[in-house]
Amino acid sequence: MGLQLVPIPFGGFGNPIWATASATLNEPIAARFTVDFRATMLSLAQYNVIVATALVSAIVSLERQRAAQFLYALVGLTILVSILAIRRAISSSHDVLPGASAAAVTDAMIAATLGVILSTAMAIRALDRLQRRQPRSVKGAMTSLLAAVLSLIFSMGTILICADPAVIVAALLGTGTLIAIVAIRKWFLGFWGIAGAIATASIILVASFTVIPIKKNADLTIALSTQNQPATERMLQDVRPLGSGAGTFNALFPVYRDVSAATVRERPTAAAAIAIEMGRAFLCGLLIFTMVAACTLFKRSLSRGYDYVFPAAGAGASISLLILPFGEDGMLEVSVSLLIAALYGLAFGQSLASQDFPEVVIGKRSRGWSGYSAALRNSWTRIALGAVGAVLIAQAAWLTSQWWHFGAGLSTVGATVASDALTDNEVARAASIGPGSEALRAAQRFTAAAPPKPDELDLQRGQNANATRPSAGSGLTRVLYWSPLRGDIWLMLAAASKPNSSQSAAMLRMSYYTAPNDLDLMPLRVSVALATDVVVRDLEFRDLIKRDVSLVVTHRPALRPTLVAAYRSASADGKIYLEGLISELDPTYLDNMRTRSSRQGSR
């Protein structure tokens, strides 16, 4: 991620969008591998927090009693998530899930999968305590066993209600890995027993893929997904070696999406998102790391004594996490990633801890130099992990503080205008070109209601403060320095630029290329294009305008009144061209458009 953020001094190595934006703005812009500096920087801060969470969890898990308490806390968290998911699924069983609810259910399925593994580990630990038959631990073990069974029921209920084959297989394989470790320890200890258990597990793993419906002609990263992802498939065809930048899927989506998906944002599988944003080599490396982690935790769970369930749970979770990225998309969400990090911290922390550490030093009594050595070793481990975690958190805090210097608040056209990036005159010009735009109506309401913002020098001189307000170049252009794929920003700059200028036409072309199917931008974009003679006379622009008008006339009848507004503000050549387009697409609407335009003009 750091490499994706660094400016590239050599031409031709960065993403081509930077060179195109630099040529359009006629200003030097540093090229980078990422297509959105802000999104990648925020992703870097988030993953610093995730790694710090894993380290803190490992520190807590170095002590046996705290590791058990941490396991109980994670199980309780998965119970809460599962209950909320079941409630949401029942309440919306007769309705179509909106995007936010579908995303929440997906995240809950992954949490429930981890909950099944954690609940099984908690139950195994409780049964081991009951087998010891210690009077003090019987009551606590029974309580833990009951809580583990209830958690297992809720987690499995969440998975079965959602009925996703990939999630079901991932949960069963992860739990099966955990149970296989218990079986090897109790009955099949030895080389041939372990080899037989691993061979059986491998056969079951391969056979499980016959249950999951696999898309034969799709990319491997989305082969297990049950959703259609046409935009994601097109992105995967254009994957660069180092990716497009962490967290940049949403920035790329307007370039690749269909018109039919204008109101629904695709949620790619986690594997597809990683391949697009970080490159396929990074995805392969991550899968290899997960496999190595599973083998390491599997081995350590067999070599430990009483506390083997903690690394065993990590091994089972690793097996599940090898399947889930290819079928679901919620693994990259911050909440789910934090849960995974905490689980890995618990598994690795307890696998590295000394088994005798809690009993080494009791009060002032010591058990010899070996006890002091083990305690010191664990203390230095805590200090080292804590120091690295503190550095990562500090770096994440610094990155978050710098986030606002790169136009992070300008998420929409309305927010851009509301931040005084455009002057009143520029807003008025854009509104006169495209009066049907909802974003510009919001901008006009803001500029009419907002109080003036004079500076101290103008107050002293008694001058009008509006004379020194920033222009579009000082606000909107700065956003494009860090996010050149913002089609709405390019369109606003084109609308606010001088009419019939070559730079206005270039900015309008960038809006077409970066957001070709954005229906919210089409009314203003058609108006700007038809009002500029340089654009109307260009053959490439004529095809782009024809495409927008065709979409409005044939697919979005609700947007037809915006064509009347575009017709009124169009130039002479623009009116002739628009009349020709509508006469081809819908001749009956041409007279209606002329009549409505003349009525509005007479008013």
Side-chain angles (χ1 to χ4, degrees):
M1 293 180 189
L3 182 62
Q4 290 175 338
L5 292 172
V6 175
I8 303 173
F10 308 103
F13 288 93
N15 196 285
I17 187 61
W18 298 101
T20 306
S22 178
T24 303
L25 296 173
N26 197 20
E27 296 181 14
I29 300 179
R32 292 178 171 85
F33 289 112
T34 179
V35 298
D36 195 319
F37 183 90
R38 298 182 298 112
T40 302
M41 188 174 66
L42 181 61
S43 295
L44 180 59
Q46 291 176 349
Y47 285 106
N48 280 344
V49 174
I50 291 170
V51 175
T53 301
L55 295 178
V56 172
S57 302
I59 294 174
V60 173
S61 303
L62 286 173
E63 189 173 341
R64 175 187 300 170
Q65 189 62 32
R66 292 181 179 177
Q69 295 173 355
F70 195 60
L71 174 63
Y72 301 155
L74 292 180
V75 171
L77 180 61
T78 56
I79 289 177
L80 178 61
V81 173
S82 299
I83 292 175
L84 294 177
I86 293 174
R87 178 182 177 184
R88 188 180 296 111
I90 293 175
S91 62
S92 58
S93 59
H94 301 291
D95 301 325
V96 178
L97 285 175
S101 299
V105 171
T106 302
D107 299 346
M109 283 194 296
I110 299 176
T113 302
L114 299 178
V116 171
I117 299 172
L118 291 171
S119 302
T120 305
M122 183 176 173
I124 292 173
R125 188 175 187 274
L127 291 175
D128 287 343
R129 291 174 63 187
L130 288 175
Q131 288 181 356
R132 290 189 173 188
R133 297 181 180 179
Q134 296 179 357
R136 295 182 179 179
S137 61
V138 171
K139 184 177 180 181
M142 290 298 297
T143 304
S144 299
L145 181 60
L146 179 60
V149 172
L150 291 177
S151 175
L152 187 62
I153 293 173
F154 280 115
S155 299
M156 286 301 300
T158 302
I159 296 174
L160 294 177
I161 288 176
C162 297
D164 191 314
V167 177
I168 295 175
V169 170
L172 293 178
L173 288 177
T175 308
T177 301
L178 183 56
I179 296 175
I181 292 174
V182 178
I184 291 173
R185 289 176 61 89
K186 292 184 178 296
W187 301 300
F188 304 111
L189 190 59
F191 175 78
W192 292 108
I194 295 175
I198 293 177
T200 303
S202 301
I203 294 173
I204 295 175
L205 175 63
V206 175
S208 63
F209 284 96
T210 61
V211 181
I212 306 175
I214 300 177
K215 300 177 182 177
K216 296 182 180 180
N217 298 325
D219 191 274
L220 181 62
T221 57
I222 58 175
L224 303 183
S225 177
T226 57
Q227 301 177 1
N228 293 325
Q229 301 173 345
T232 303
E233 292 182 4
R234 287 189 286 269
M235 291 184 198
L236 289 170
Q237 295 175 0
D238 297 336
V239 171
R240 298 174 64 85
L242 291 179
S244 62
T248 58
F249 180 85
N250 290 335
L252 285 172
F253 182 69
V255 182
Y256 290 90
R257 73 177 179 184
D258 295 327
V259 178
S260 58
T263 58
V264 179
R265 185 174 297 277
E266 283 185 15
R267 289 176 60 89
T269 62
I274 294 173
I276 293 169
E277 298 176 356
M278 304 298 296
R280 295 185 183 274
F282 184 89
L283 174 62
C284 294
L286 193 61
L287 294 175
I288 293 174
F289 172 81
T290 306
M291 181 61 72
V292 171
C295 295
T296 302
L297 292 172
F298 190 92
K299 180 180 178 181
R300 289 181 178 175
S301 64
L302 295 178
S303 62
R304 289 185 63 83
Y306 175 66
D307 297 320
Y308 70 94
V309 293
F310 299 106
S318 298
I319 298 299
S320 296
L321 293 178
L322 288 173
I323 301 174
L324 287 175
F326 296 91
E328 297 299 332
D329 60 316
M331 285 182 56
L332 300 182
E333 296 296 328
V334 178
S335 57
V336 178
S337 298
L338 290 176
L339 179 60
I340 296 173
L343 193 154
Y344 269 117
L346 172 65
F348 277 100
Q350 188 55 219
S351 68
L352 294 173
S354 174
Q355 297 188 56
D356 298 327
F357 177 67
E359 293 83 14
V360 167
V361 180
I362 303 176
K364 296 183 179 179
R365 299 173 58 186
S366 175
R367 296 190 179 182
W369 174 253
S370 61
Y372 281 116
S373 177
L376 183 63
R377 183 169 63 250
N378 282 275
S379 297
W380 281 112
T381 302
R382 294 170 186 268
I383 294 173
L385 294 178
V388 176
V391 170
L392 291 175
I393 292 176
Q395 185 181 17
W398 180 82
L399 291 173
T400 305
S401 66
Q402 299 298 315
W403 162 261
W404 301 103
H405 296 290
F406 303 103
L410 306 181
S411 57
T412 62
V413 174
T416 300
V417 179
S419 64
D420 268 355
L422 291 177
T423 63
D424 293 341
N425 293 334
E426 290 164 340
V427 172
R429 162 165 169 70
S432 65
I433 296 176
S437 174
E438 178 62 30
L440 285 175
R441 285 198 292 268
Q444 288 179 306
R445 290 194 297 269
F446 171 81
T447 53
K453 298 181 179 180
D455 57 51
E456 295 180 359
L457 182 61
D458 288 332
L459 287 176
Q460 294 176 0
R461 296 179 179 179
Q463 297 177 351
N464 186 5
N466 290 331
T468 60
R469 291 178 66 183
S471 63
S474 63
L476 297 176
T477 305
R478 187 173 63 252
V479 179
L480 297 175
Y481 286 161
W482 313 109
S483 304
L485 288 178
R486 290 290 299 273
D488 55 345
I489 302 296
W490 287 112
L491 180 57
M492 290 298 295
L493 281 173
S497 300
K498 295 180 180 180
N500 295 323
S501 64
S502 59
Q503 190 174 22
S504 175
M507 292 176 179
L508 185 62
R509 180 180 284 107
M510 288 295 294
S511 177
Y512 273 110
Y513 290 163
T514 55
N517 296 321
D518 195 333
L519 294 177
D520 294 333
L521 300 182
M522 284 185 183
L524 176 59
R525 192 160 58 195
V526 172
S527 298
V528 174
L530 294 176
T532 309
D533 290 335
V534 177
V535 173
V536 176
R537 295 168 185 169
D538 187 276
L539 294 179
E540 181 182 5
F541 271 118
R542 292 171 77 93
D543 292 337
L544 295 174
I545 297 171
K546 181 179 180 180
R547 181 178 180 276
D548 277 0
V549 174
S550 300
L551 291 174
V552 171
V553 173
T554 59
H555 293 86
R556 291 295 184 272
L559 295 179
R560 286 190 174 190
T562 61
L563 295 178
V564 179
Y567 182 78
R568 289 183 55 202
S569 61
S571 63
D573 292 341
K575 290 182 178 179
I576 295 174
Y577 182 62
L578 181 60
E579 289 177 354
L581 289 178
I582 295 180
S583 63
E584 295 178 3
L585 299 171
D586 190 356
T588 59
Y589 186 70
L590 180 59
D591 294 335
N592 186 14
M593 184 185 68
R594 289 173 177 171
T595 303
R596 295 181 61 180
S597 177
S598 61
R599 290 178 181 175
Q600 294 178 3
S602 63
R603 293 177 184 175

PDB file of all heavy atoms in Angstrom, residues 129-145:
ATOM      1  N   ARG A 129     -12.204 -29.737  30.632  1.00  0.00           N
ATOM      2  CA  ARG A 129     -12.222 -29.388  32.051  1.00  0.00           C
ATOM      3  C   ARG A 129     -13.105 -30.357  32.841  1.00  0.00           C
ATOM      4  O   ARG A 129     -12.794 -30.703  33.990  1.00  0.00           O
ATOM      5  CB  ARG A 129     -12.729 -27.954  32.222  1.00  0.00           C
ATOM      6  CG  ARG A 129     -11.768 -26.894  31.698  1.00  0.00           C
ATOM      7  CD  ARG A 129     -12.378 -25.513  31.763  1.00  0.00           C
ATOM      8  NE  ARG A 129     -12.647 -25.137  33.143  1.00  0.00           N
ATOM      9  CZ  ARG A 129     -13.324 -24.016  33.500  1.00  0.00           C
ATOM     10  NH1 ARG A 129     -13.812 -23.229  32.555  1.00  0.00           N
ATOM     11  NH2 ARG A 129     -13.516 -23.750  34.764  1.00  0.00           N
ATOM     12  N   LEU A 130     -14.204 -30.799  32.238  1.00  0.00           N
ATOM     13  CA  LEU A 130     -15.061 -31.769  32.932  1.00  0.00           C
ATOM     14  C   LEU A 130     -14.372 -33.120  33.088  1.00  0.00           C
ATOM     15  O   LEU A 130     -14.594 -33.835  34.082  1.00  0.00           O
ATOM     16  CB  LEU A 130     -16.378 -31.938  32.164  1.00  0.00           C
ATOM     17  CG  LEU A 130     -17.361 -30.758  32.225  1.00  0.00           C
ATOM     18  CD1 LEU A 130     -18.556 -31.026  31.316  1.00  0.00           C
ATOM     19  CD2 LEU A 130     -17.820 -30.520  33.658  1.00  0.00           C
ATOM     20  N   GLN A 131     -13.541 -33.489  32.132  1.00  0.00           N
ATOM     21  CA  GLN A 131     -12.840 -34.759  32.224  1.00  0.00           C
ATOM     22  C   GLN A 131     -11.820 -34.766  33.360  1.00  0.00           C
ATOM     23  O   GLN A 131     -11.481 -35.820  33.888  1.00  0.00           O
ATOM     24  CB  GLN A 131     -12.139 -35.068  30.904  1.00  0.00           C
ATOM     25  CG  GLN A 131     -13.105 -35.458  29.795  1.00  0.00           C
ATOM     26  CD  GLN A 131     -12.390 -35.777  28.503  1.00  0.00           C
ATOM     27  OE1 GLN A 131     -11.166 -35.636  28.402  1.00  0.00           O
ATOM     28  NE2 GLN A 131     -13.156 -36.213  27.501  1.00  0.00           N
ATOM     29  N   ARG A 132     -11.339 -33.586  33.728  1.00  0.00           N
ATOM     30  CA  ARG A 132     -10.397 -33.520  34.843  1.00  0.00           C
ATOM     31  C   ARG A 132     -11.086 -33.760  36.195  1.00  0.00           C
ATOM     32  O   ARG A 132     -10.431 -34.129  37.158  1.00  0.00           O
ATOM     33  CB  ARG A 132      -9.727 -32.142  34.870  1.00  0.00           C
ATOM     34  CG  ARG A 132      -8.768 -31.919  33.708  1.00  0.00           C
ATOM     35  CD  ARG A 132      -7.995 -30.638  33.923  1.00  0.00           C
ATOM     36  NE  ARG A 132      -6.960 -30.465  32.914  1.00  0.00           N
ATOM     37  CZ  ARG A 132      -6.033 -29.501  32.950  1.00  0.00           C
ATOM     38  NH1 ARG A 132      -6.038 -28.655  33.967  1.00  0.00           N
ATOM     39  NH2 ARG A 132      -5.142 -29.418  32.010  1.00  0.00           N
ATOM     40  N   ARG A 133     -12.402 -33.483  36.229  1.00  0.00           N
ATOM     41  CA  ARG A 133     -13.211 -33.739  37.425  1.00  0.00           C
ATOM     42  C   ARG A 133     -12.674 -33.012  38.657  1.00  0.00           C
ATOM     43  O   ARG A 133     -12.633 -33.568  39.755  1.00  0.00           O
ATOM     44  CB  ARG A 133     -13.294 -35.241  37.697  1.00  0.00           C
ATOM     45  CG  ARG A 133     -13.986 -36.008  36.581  1.00  0.00           C
ATOM     46  CD  ARG A 133     -14.056 -37.482  36.910  1.00  0.00           C
ATOM     47  NE  ARG A 133     -14.721 -38.214  35.825  1.00  0.00           N
ATOM     48  CZ  ARG A 133     -14.906 -39.536  35.841  1.00  0.00           C
ATOM     49  NH1 ARG A 133     -14.482 -40.259  36.881  1.00  0.00           N
ATOM     50  NH2 ARG A 133     -15.504 -40.121  34.826  1.00  0.00           N
ATOM     51  N   GLN A 134     -12.292 -31.769  38.453  1.00  0.00           N
ATOM     52  CA  GLN A 134     -11.883 -30.945  39.589  1.00  0.00           C
ATOM     53  C   GLN A 134     -13.119 -30.250  40.143  1.00  0.00           C
ATOM     54  O   GLN A 134     -13.850 -29.593  39.387  1.00  0.00           O
ATOM     55  CB  GLN A 134     -10.840 -29.913  39.152  1.00  0.00           C
ATOM     56  CG  GLN A 134      -9.542 -30.552  38.682  1.00  0.00           C
ATOM     57  CD  GLN A 134      -8.531 -29.517  38.226  1.00  0.00           C
ATOM     58  OE1 GLN A 134      -8.813 -28.331  38.210  1.00  0.00           O
ATOM     59  NE2 GLN A 134      -7.331 -29.982  37.872  1.00  0.00           N
ATOM     60  N   PRO A 135     -13.403 -30.351  41.450  1.00  0.00           N
ATOM     61  CA  PRO A 135     -14.644 -29.790  42.007  1.00  0.00           C
ATOM     62  C   PRO A 135     -14.805 -28.299  41.735  1.00  0.00           C
ATOM     63  O   PRO A 135     -15.917 -27.825  41.498  1.00  0.00           O
ATOM     64  CB  PRO A 135     -14.508 -30.075  43.510  1.00  0.00           C
ATOM     65  CG  PRO A 135     -13.548 -31.220  43.599  1.00  0.00           C
ATOM     66  CD  PRO A 135     -12.586 -31.049  42.465  1.00  0.00           C
ATOM     67  N   ARG A 136     -13.713 -27.564  41.763  1.00  0.00           N
ATOM     68  CA  ARG A 136     -13.820 -26.117  41.579  1.00  0.00           C
ATOM     69  C   ARG A 136     -14.184 -25.725  40.147  1.00  0.00           C
ATOM     70  O   ARG A 136     -14.750 -24.665  39.921  1.00  0.00           O
ATOM     71  CB  ARG A 136     -12.505 -25.445  41.953  1.00  0.00           C
ATOM     72  CG  ARG A 136     -12.136 -25.583  43.431  1.00  0.00           C
ATOM     73  CD  ARG A 136     -10.840 -24.841  43.712  1.00  0.00           C
ATOM     74  NE  ARG A 136     -10.473 -24.943  45.133  1.00  0.00           N
ATOM     75  CZ  ARG A 136      -9.369 -24.393  45.660  1.00  0.00           C
ATOM     76  NH1 ARG A 136      -8.548 -23.711  44.873  1.00  0.00           N
ATOM     77  NH2 ARG A 136      -9.118 -24.535  46.938  1.00  0.00           N
ATOM     78  N   SER A 137     -13.829 -26.574  39.195  1.00  0.00           N
ATOM     79  CA  SER A 137     -14.022 -26.206  37.794  1.00  0.00           C
ATOM     80  C   SER A 137     -15.259 -26.830  37.157  1.00  0.00           C
ATOM     81  O   SER A 137     -15.573 -26.532  36.007  1.00  0.00           O
ATOM     82  CB  SER A 137     -12.792 -26.623  36.975  1.00  0.00           C
ATOM     83  OG  SER A 137     -12.614 -28.024  37.036  1.00  0.00           O
ATOM     84  N   VAL A 138     -15.969 -27.709  37.871  1.00  0.00           N
ATOM     85  CA  VAL A 138     -17.130 -28.389  37.282  1.00  0.00           C
ATOM     86  C   VAL A 138     -18.241 -27.393  36.971  1.00  0.00           C
ATOM     87  O   VAL A 138     -18.809 -27.385  35.875  1.00  0.00           O
ATOM     88  CB  VAL A 138     -17.629 -29.505  38.214  1.00  0.00           C
ATOM     89  CG1 VAL A 138     -18.952 -30.067  37.705  1.00  0.00           C
ATOM     90  CG2 VAL A 138     -16.594 -30.604  38.311  1.00  0.00           C
ATOM     91  N   LYS A 139     -18.545 -26.514  37.908  1.00  0.00           N
ATOM     92  CA  LYS A 139     -19.631 -25.562  37.708  1.00  0.00           C
ATOM     93  C   LYS A 139     -19.315 -24.596  36.573  1.00  0.00           C
ATOM     94  O   LYS A 139     -20.156 -24.335  35.694  1.00  0.00           O
ATOM     95  CB  LYS A 139     -19.886 -24.793  39.000  1.00  0.00           C
ATOM     96  CG  LYS A 139     -21.060 -23.850  38.923  1.00  0.00           C
ATOM     97  CD  LYS A 139     -21.310 -23.181  40.262  1.00  0.00           C
ATOM     98  CE  LYS A 139     -22.506 -22.228  40.176  1.00  0.00           C
ATOM     99  NZ  LYS A 139     -22.746 -21.553  41.488  1.00  0.00           N
ATOM    100  N   GLY A 140     -18.085 -24.075  36.567  1.00  0.00           N
ATOM    101  CA  GLY A 140     -17.704 -23.169  35.485  1.00  0.00           C
ATOM    102  C   GLY A 140     -17.671 -23.865  34.143  1.00  0.00           C
ATOM    103  O   GLY A 140     -18.051 -23.276  33.116  1.00  0.00           O
ATOM    104  N   ALA A 141     -17.223 -25.127  34.120  1.00  0.00           N
ATOM    105  CA  ALA A 141     -17.176 -25.864  32.865  1.00  0.00           C
ATOM    106  C   ALA A 141     -18.576 -26.121  32.317  1.00  0.00           C
ATOM    107  O   ALA A 141     -18.812 -26.021  31.102  1.00  0.00           O
ATOM    108  CB  ALA A 141     -16.437 -27.183  33.066  1.00  0.00           C
ATOM    109  N   MET A 142     -19.525 -26.448  33.190  1.00  0.00           N
ATOM    110  CA  MET A 142     -20.902 -26.660  32.737  1.00  0.00           C
ATOM    111  C   MET A 142     -21.499 -25.377  32.170  1.00  0.00           C
ATOM    112  O   MET A 142     -22.198 -25.396  31.153  1.00  0.00           O
ATOM    113  CB  MET A 142     -21.745 -27.179  33.899  1.00  0.00           C
ATOM    114  CG  MET A 142     -21.402 -28.610  34.326  1.00  0.00           C
ATOM    115  SD  MET A 142     -21.693 -29.816  33.002  1.00  0.00           S
ATOM    116  CE  MET A 142     -23.463 -29.643  32.790  1.00  0.00           C
ATOM    117  N   THR A 143     -21.226 -24.268  32.830  1.00  0.00           N
ATOM    118  CA  THR A 143     -21.722 -22.976  32.324  1.00  0.00           C
ATOM    119  C   THR A 143     -21.124 -22.656  30.964  1.00  0.00           C
ATOM    120  O   THR A 143     -21.827 -22.212  30.041  1.00  0.00           O
ATOM    121  CB  THR A 143     -21.394 -21.860  33.318  1.00  0.00           C
ATOM    122  OG1 THR A 143     -21.933 -22.195  34.607  1.00  0.00           O
ATOM    123  CG2 THR A 143     -21.959 -20.538  32.853  1.00  0.00           C
ATOM    124  N   SER A 144     -19.811 -22.885  30.818  1.00  0.00           N
ATOM    125  CA  SER A 144     -19.152 -22.628  29.532  1.00  0.00           C
ATOM    126  C   SER A 144     -19.703 -23.539  28.443  1.00  0.00           C
ATOM    127  O   SER A 144     -19.911 -23.110  27.302  1.00  0.00           O
ATOM    128  CB  SER A 144     -17.645 -22.835  29.674  1.00  0.00           C
ATOM    129  OG  SER A 144     -17.094 -21.950  30.631  1.00  0.00           O
ATOM    130  N   LEU A 145     -19.955 -24.808  28.797  1.00  0.00           N
ATOM    131  CA  LEU A 145     -20.482 -25.746  27.811  1.00  0.00           C
ATOM    132  C   LEU A 145     -21.879 -25.332  27.350  1.00  0.00           C
ATOM    133  O   LEU A 145     -22.196 -25.383  26.148  1.00  0.00           O
ATOM    134  CB  LEU A 145     -20.516 -27.148  28.406  1.00  0.00           C
ATOM    135  CG  LEU A 145     -21.021 -28.268  27.495  1.00  0.00           C
ATOM    136  CD1 LEU A 145     -20.155 -28.379  26.255  1.00  0.00           C
ATOM    137  CD2 LEU A 145     -21.069 -29.598  28.243  1.00  0.00           C
TER     138      LEU A 145
END
